[in-house]
């Protein structure tokens, strides 16, 4: 049996996983995009902080489209992949995928959104610094 090359799969490393519950909904009972963006930013910061060995901050989020809604009861999986490391910046691709909590662990994931987060390394005073100590 051969696998199809066009079946989408998450890129990068699973960085954050959380169930979408009623406490995450807006006044209409929907999971808002802002909650997802917050999770994406948190995952990007964790990934960037590991690379920079310290404090980082988001300076840009590039290109984001939402492909499907997130329902209460979905398992939200955030994947990150470092794309580029500059002198003081780190570009990280972030993808959000969901699976129903009722489904088995091997159930299909569905892509919700993706974006490129641009992070900068900061020193203890909040000033931009080099990502690497030898940079």
């Amino acid at each position: 049996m051969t696998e199809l090359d066009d079946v989408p799969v998450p890129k990068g490393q699973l960085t954050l996983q959380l169930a979408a519950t009623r406490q995450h909904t807006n006044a209409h009972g929907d999971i808002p995009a802002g909650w997802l963006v917050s999770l994406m930013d948190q995952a990007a910061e964790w990934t960037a902080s590991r690379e920079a060995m310290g404090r980082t901050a988001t300076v840009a989020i590039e290109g984001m489209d939402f492909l499907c809604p997130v329902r209460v009861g979905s398992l939200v999986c955030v994947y990150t992949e470092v794309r580029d490391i500059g002198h003081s910046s780190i570009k990280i691709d972030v993808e959000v995928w969901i699976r129903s909590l009722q489904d088995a662990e091997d159930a299909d994931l569905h892509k919700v959104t993706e974006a490129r987060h641009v992070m900068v390394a900061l020193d203890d005073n909040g000033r931009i610094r080099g990502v690497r100590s030898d940079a």
Side-chain angles (χ1 to χ4, degrees):
M1 182 177 205
T2 61
E3 290 187 35
L4 297 175
D5 289 338
D6 61 348
V7 174
V9 295
K11 294 181 191 128
Q13 175 179 342
L14 180 61
T15 305
L16 185 121
Q17 188 170 269
L18 185 68
T21 66
R22 295 204 188 287
Q23 75 182 28
H24 301 119
T25 61
N26 61 22
H28 302 288
D30 300 319
I31 300 296
W35 182 71
L36 294 173
V37 173
S38 175
L39 293 179
M40 293 171 75
D41 198 48
Q42 190 174 30
E45 185 173 355
W46 286 340
T47 301
S49 293
R50 228 179 15 249
E51 291 293 328
M53 295 179 281
R55 189 175 174 195
T56 62
T58 306
V59 293
I61 299 175
E62 301 172 352
M64 184 179 296
D65 293 314
F66 291 88
L67 307 173
C68 69
V70 176
R71 308 256 184 247
V72 169
S74 297
L75 184 63
V76 178
C77 306
V78 184
Y79 293 82
T80 58
E81 183 174 34
V82 175
R83 297 308 298 162
D84 184 47
I85 299 176
H87 173 72
S88 60
S89 66
I90 304 169
K91 291 183 180 178
I92 299 171
D93 288 345
V94 182
E95 295 183 353
V96 175
W97 292 71
I98 56 170
R99 123 178 341 127
S100 170
L101 279 176
Q102 292 80 15
D103 291 340
E105 243 184 72
D106 59 346
D108 289 340
L109 287 169
H110 301 281
K111 190 173 188 178
V112 176
T113 190
E114 66 183 358
R116 178 162 292 164
H117 289 237
V118 181
M119 315 295 289
V120 293
L122 301 174
D123 66 16
D124 291 339
N125 296 316
R127 292 190 195 101
I128 295 175
R129 64 169 174 86
V131 171
R132 306 275 191 238
S133 58
D134 59 345

